[in-house]
Amino acid sequence: MPQDMPPSGGYEPVQYKRNLPIRGFRPGWYLVAVGAICTYGFYKYGVGVRELNELGREKMWSRVHIMPLLQAEEDRDQVRRYLADRKREKELLGRETSPYHSDRFVRPYYAATPEKPLKD
């Protein structure tokens, strides 16, 4: 019986490596995508910080411009209270009195005091 001979041109090489298909993009593209996302995030963060700074500046200037109005309202309220106190005092005592020894106006202040004294 004749011996089998290799085919002409030889046998194909033996495949000993795993031949898995490549899934996904190359690693460089993932790096580019992460860099783009981070750049966009930092850009939006910077825009937000600028917006917050502008809102804070606007709030500060609105308070600066409304302060004279609030001070005038407080002054009117204090004058109303002062005149009401003097009228009530005149009704009770029959004359106007002053705890001070001069006619100089002393701005009254109203402090909140607790009803019951604090225990030590």
Side-chain angles (χ1 to χ4, degrees):
M1 165 172 230
Q3 185 177 358
D4 286 339
M5 297 297 292
S8 60
Y11 290 108
E12 293 180 10
V14 177
Q15 183 178 357
Y16 60 91
K17 293 183 183 177
R18 293 180 69 186
N19 188 14
L20 298 175
I22 297 175
R23 295 172 47 150
F25 299 109
R26 295 169 68 185
W29 287 110
Y30 286 113
L31 189 63
V32 168
V34 167
I37 290 171
C38 286
T39 302
Y40 178 73
F42 279 120
Y43 167 75
K44 291 301 276 186
Y45 177 76
V47 168
V49 165
R50 265 189 254 126
E51 180 72 19
L52 283 178
N53 287 343
E54 185 61 33
L55 288 174
R57 186 179 300 114
E58 182 180 338
K59 187 176 186 179
M60 180 187 67
W61 278 107
S62 66
R63 287 181 179 174
V64 165
H65 290 297
I66 202 170
M67 193 56 90
L69 175 68
L70 296 176
Q71 185 65 46
E73 285 186 11
E74 182 184 350
D75 291 345
R76 279 194 294 270
D77 187 46
Q78 284 191 353
V79 167
R80 181 190 57 79
R81 286 182 183 200
Y82 176 72
L83 294 177
D85 285 343
R86 300 237 345 217
K87 182 179 176 185
R88 191 176 323 117
E89 186 177 284
K90 190 171 185 178
E91 288 175 2
L92 290 174
L93 301 176
R95 62 185 173 91
E96 291 183 9
T97 61
S98 174
Y100 305 107
H101 297 296
S102 71
D103 292 334
R104 186 173 69 89
F105 177 76
V106 178
R107 175 183 282 250
Y109 72 93
Y110 302 97
T113 56
E115 292 179 14
K116 297 178 183 176
L118 299 174
K119 295 180 180 179
D120 290 346

